[in-house]
Amino acid sequence: MTKLIVICGATATGKSGLALNLAIRLNSVILSADSRQVYREFNIGTAKPTLAEQQLVPHYLIDICDPTDTITVADYQQQVQALINSPLLPHSPAPLLLVGGTGLYIRSIVQGMKIPRVAPNLKLRSQLESLGQTQLYGMLQQVDSVAANKIHANDNMRTLRALEVFYITGIPISQQQGENPPDYPILQIGLDCEVEKLGLRIRKRTEQMITDGLVAEVEYLCQKYGFELPLLNTLGYQEIKQYLAGEISLDAAKELIVLHTRQFAKRQRTWFRAYPQIAWFDADAPDLLEKVWQRVQNFLDNSN
């Protein structure tokens, strides 16, 4: 029987290191739940596991598409579910490890989110956007009042998506959503620490990324794909891109990365804290691995 262990939490809390140690002990594999590690060539700035780490333990859902491609939550969910059902992966007695900080990715798996498989339609979106948010929200209230009640009147992105799904499929998005949780046992482990300690972790990791060659990585990606590549406007890459453009100093870029990462981590903590199923552990505990290992053993004993 399939068993799944989730390792989640804010960025820089040590999820990858803990997962690597657990996977080695369990003789298992790691399924990444990181929305940027799916892209090839974006390595240092996404804190992607090194090649040496990937050789120690098989990693999946890393480097699965080009930076110019788009992978949706539905695409990710489909690939993970296919892997979980694949005879290529070990199942009983070894659980699979789902590891990362992208809350929506994790939720799509552990709660079995029903996601409309409607690809973004740029032409339709452009036509809709020209109408303005007030009119768009009014249209949504007419065609899908259930969705409109769940979406804030100023939330342009979700309003557009709901209208896009309706006009492409003819079915309100509210009727295509919901959840179908998997029937296999799931243990969710969360890592967290004090805010100030997390800030120190983020600063240390930012310094290490610079040392490891983040500037050269961003410069190479800008030259290959152009400065306008959307992924280059994400955390860690946008700030270095500003430095390369001569807009700010490298020290200023580092400080911005630290600041923006702390803001991002705050949002992640808020997201994950909303789920009572997660068992939380102190990321700075000296006996973290043994405490988590004991919890894993209890989970395996009780799910056989």
Side-chain angles (χ1 to χ4, degrees):
M1 178 177 63
T2 299
K3 303 180 186 71
L4 186 68
I5 297 175
V6 177
I7 308 292
C8 63
T11 188
T13 50
K15 300 182 294 295
S16 297
L18 175 64
L20 195 67
N21 284 314
L22 287 177
I24 291 171
R25 289 193 179 192
L26 293 165
N27 190 30
S28 188
V29 302
I30 291 174
L31 310 179
S32 173
D34 187 294
S35 61
R36 295 194 303 171
Q37 291 182 2
V38 297
Y39 295 101
R40 302 182 187 97
E41 300 181 282
F42 278 70
N43 302 322
I44 298 172
T46 64
K48 190 176 292 180
T50 64
L51 292 178
E53 290 169 336
Q54 293 185 50
Q55 288 173 351
L56 280 174
V57 171
H59 286 66
Y60 294 85
L61 283 306
I62 288 177
D63 295 335
I64 60 173
C65 60
D66 292 328
T68 51
D69 295 334
T70 299
I71 181 168
T72 66
V73 177
D75 294 330
Y76 173 82
Q77 181 190 54
Q78 184 181 48
Q79 294 206 36
V80 172
Q81 289 174 341
L83 279 169
I84 289 175
N85 295 321
S86 169
L88 300 176
L89 297 190
H91 290 286
S92 181
L96 307 174
L97 300 180
L98 182 67
V99 183
T102 302
L104 202 55
Y105 274 17
I106 293 172
R107 183 183 169 193
S108 75
I109 303 305
V110 301
Q111 295 185 230
M113 290 171 56
K114 296 179 181 177
I115 307 168
R117 293 198 60 82
V118 177
N121 186 311
L122 298 182
K123 184 176 180 180
L124 174 59
R125 286 191 178 191
S126 178
Q127 292 173 343
L128 290 171
E129 284 179 324
S130 67
L131 300 176
Q133 176 61 16
T134 301
Q135 186 172 345
L136 290 178
Y137 191 73
M139 292 165 59
L140 182 60
Q141 289 176 311
Q142 291 181 343
V143 302
D144 191 351
S145 60
V146 175
N149 288 335
K150 296 179 181 179
I151 297 174
H152 192 277
N154 295 330
D155 192 335
N156 180 253
M157 183 178 298
R158 293 179 66 198
T159 302
L160 273 175
R161 178 58 177 166
L163 288 172
E164 178 181 52
V165 169
F166 174 77
Y167 286 122
I168 290 176
T169 67
I171 304 171
I173 192 172
S174 60
Q175 294 180 20
Q176 301 185 54
Q177 294 175 322
E179 294 177 350
N180 183 25
D183 57 5
Y184 48 77
I186 300 175
L187 170 64
Q188 298 188 61
I189 300 291
L191 295 185
D192 201 7
C193 60
E194 296 177 4
V195 173
E196 290 308 311
K197 289 185 177 179
L198 182 57
L200 292 175
R201 282 172 167 263
I202 289 170
R203 181 170 294 279
K204 181 179 179 181
R205 192 174 75 169
T206 300
E207 294 283 356
Q208 189 60 52
M209 286 179 173
I210 299 295
T211 300
D212 290 344
L214 179 59
V215 174
E217 176 172 286
V218 177
E219 189 171 27
Y220 164 77
L221 291 168
C222 286
Q223 290 174 351
K224 182 172 182 179
Y225 296 104
F227 274 69
E228 301 308 313
L229 181 75
L231 274 174
L232 287 169
N233 293 324
T234 62
L235 184 58
Y237 292 92
Q238 182 176 24
E239 298 84 355
I240 297 300
K241 193 171 71 167
Q242 288 179 266
Y243 160 66
L244 292 173
E247 298 172 6
I248 56 176
S249 68
L250 182 57
D251 284 341
K254 287 190 285 189
E255 290 305 315
L256 279 177
I257 293 174
V258 171
L259 172 63
H260 295 158
T261 306
R262 290 186 67 152
Q263 293 170 341
F264 175 57
K266 182 179 180 180
R267 295 194 297 272
Q268 287 179 300
R269 295 176 87 215
T270 300
W271 171 284
F272 288 117
R273 283 293 179 182
Y275 294 93
Q277 306 93 331
I278 299 174
W280 289 98
F281 291 82
D282 182 0
D284 287 320
D287 57 347
L288 171 64
L289 178 59
E290 294 311 316
K291 283 185 175 180
V292 173
W293 180 248
Q294 183 177 13
R295 182 68 182 84
V296 167
Q297 289 298 315
N298 290 339
F299 165 69
L300 296 178
D301 291 343
N302 292 324
S303 58
N304 286 329

